[in-house]
Amino acid sequence: MSTHETKQTKRTVKLGSTGPEVFPLGLGCMGMSGTYGKTDDAESVRTIQAAIERGVTLIDTGDFYGMGHNEMLVGRAIEGRRDKVQLSVKFGALRGPDGSFNGNDTRPVAVKNFIAYSLKRLGVEVIDIYRPARLDPSVPIEDTIGTIADLVKAGYVRHIGLSEVGVETIRRAHKVHPIVDLQIEYAIATRGPEAQIFPVLAELGISATLYGVFSRGLLTGSKPTEAGDWRAHQPRFAGENGAKNEDSVKALQRFAHERRMTPGQVALAWVLARQPAFVPVVGAKTRAQLEDVLGALERPLSKEDLAALESMVKISGDRYDPAQMKHLDSERR
């Protein structure tokens, strides 16, 4: 075993009853394309490659991250390493030249168009897990999943996933073709899926890939300071909520210090302890951040730790602004 390997390097988690075996953490690459401020492409490539060297197999991207920039970046990083990774790709979000979001398009003809460009940008012949980024209210989910199922038969896709959808959509999609995982936000600050969504996943044999485990940096003390950092306008970072949440963040920092852990390790360890059958997707932008989060695999939290942490971390505000929350199928009750 190399000096960089962790004890859990050999452990894997299966995505659903029909999906692949993956490392217990995935690498989310969205932040490498400017979502949270400045980035360094060379460091991003090195970070992806370092993750692969450490055993990380699931690499998550989206065709709309940086309007294609992120897929090309991932393509550079995995060249010569394709057999060591599973690519998870989201599609469907429509972007403008000014970076604006202009809805979603998951019509069958659009699905085929999106994947053609993704395959080219990534430099691969097949995508391991393909998923619509959001529910398109104008297209029946059966039509979208049916089209991806055709792409599976044609050899362009291996597995089908979903993202940010609710229980009715999950059931309808799964009837068309086995779904291996639902990508959804989950953290000590975002526990909504526990009530209805996670029980349905367990019933149907579907896994979950969990993003936002650091609540976009809120739990680690990160604050939006650069132009282009969209968090500055999000409910948990702004105004009265932002001020209230600082107390919880400071409490989490004290908790981490007492256990000789970083806040990021604590936030991730909480998710690993609460949902051991699921796979957190962490948005490390640098090798230093990657090393930090991998350390959480060696520092599990006890039941007493979980209870203490949950009693002191109380986050105010929705995870998105009202307009975005309105369009989240996963938030419908």
Side-chain angles (χ1 to χ4, degrees):
M1 178 177 291
S2 73
T3 56
H4 290 294
E5 285 184 326
T6 66
K7 295 176 183 176
Q8 299 205 26
T9 295
K10 301 301 181 183
R11 186 169 78 85
T12 59
V13 177
K14 187 173 175 60
L15 291 185
S17 58
T18 61
E21 297 276 349
V22 301
F23 188 78
L25 294 180
L27 179 66
C29 299
M30 181 179 74
M32 296 176 180
S33 292
T35 307
Y36 303 130
K38 294 179 181 179
T39 57
D40 180 334
D41 283 359
E43 177 62 19
S44 295
V45 168
R46 286 191 290 265
T47 301
I48 295 170
Q49 293 175 343
I52 296 170
E53 290 171 4
R54 294 293 306 274
V56 175
T57 59
L58 187 67
I59 307 296
D60 185 80
T61 183
D63 62 10
F64 51 94
Y65 293 168
M67 287 72 81
H69 169 269
N70 202 249
E71 285 185 321
M72 290 188 287
L73 188 75
V74 171
R76 283 172 52 195
I78 68 170
E79 187 175 1
R81 299 169 172 82
R82 179 65 181 97
D83 61 335
K84 297 181 178 179
V85 300
Q86 292 117 349
L87 293 172
S88 166
V89 179
K90 290 182 289 296
F91 72 90
L94 303 175
R95 303 294 300 271
D98 60 351
S100 60
F101 281 91
N102 300 308
N104 295 279
D105 188 353
T106 66
R107 295 171 300 149
V109 67
V111 175
K112 295 174 184 177
N113 177 78
F114 286 134
I115 195 169
Y117 284 95
S118 287
L119 290 168
K120 180 66 68 172
R121 285 189 291 253
L122 289 163
V124 300
E125 297 180 350
V126 60
I127 289 170
D128 297 282
I129 308 171
Y130 202 50
R131 70 183 82 239
R134 295 289 186 271
L135 181 69
D136 182 347
S138 65
V139 179
I141 191 64
E142 289 85 354
D143 292 356
T144 302
I145 300 303
T147 302
I148 306 176
D150 289 340
L151 293 171
V152 172
K153 292 176 184 176
Y156 297 115
V157 174
R158 290 195 172 107
H159 305 283
I160 303 178
L162 294 169
S163 177
E164 286 290 353
V165 294
V167 295
E168 179 185 351
T169 303
I170 294 168
R171 290 186 184 281
R172 288 169 56 190
H174 194 63
K175 285 182 179 180
V176 177
H177 188 279
I179 301 299
V180 296
D181 76 296
L182 169 70
Q183 194 163 107
I184 196 162
E185 184 169 353
Y186 183 72
I188 192 172
T190 310
R191 301 185 65 176
E194 293 176 346
Q196 298 181 30
I197 291 176
F198 287 170
V200 169
L201 297 183
E203 173 194 336
L204 299 177
I206 300 173
S207 187
T209 44
L210 309 171
Y211 75 94
V213 297
F214 307 130
S215 300
R216 296 171 181 81
L218 176 69
L219 297 177
T220 62
S222 172
K223 297 180 181 180
T225 58
E226 300 178 18
D229 190 331
W230 68 286
R231 296 177 299 169
H233 309 290
Q234 297 305 304
R236 291 177 174 176
F237 287 88
E240 186 175 334
N241 286 333
K244 284 182 180 179
N245 290 338
E246 283 203 21
D247 291 336
S248 285
V249 172
K250 289 178 181 176
L252 189 151
Q253 290 172 336
R254 290 192 296 269
F255 180 94
H257 180 73
E258 290 169 359
R259 286 156 183 78
R260 297 183 180 179
M261 298 172 70
T262 65
Q265 288 172 344
V266 167
L268 178 54
W270 181 89
V271 171
L272 289 166
R274 281 291 176 218
Q275 306 299 334
F278 296 159
V279 180
V281 176
V282 294
K285 294 195 298 182
T286 66
R287 285 168 290 174
Q289 291 174 342
L290 174 68
E291 287 300 317
D292 179 61
V293 297
L294 286 172
L297 290 172
E298 301 306 321
R299 305 296 301 275
L301 298 179
S302 67
K303 290 182 180 179
E304 292 74 21
D305 287 334
L306 295 178
L309 192 57
E310 290 161 11
S311 70
M312 66 180 71
V313 177
K314 307 292 183 183
I315 299 299
S316 300
D318 288 330
R319 54 195 178 111
Y320 292 111
D321 62 45
Q324 289 175 297
M325 290 293 288
K326 182 179 178 181
H327 294 293
L328 284 175
D329 186 59
S330 56
E331 293 290 339
R332 302 185 198 282
R333 296 292 182 262

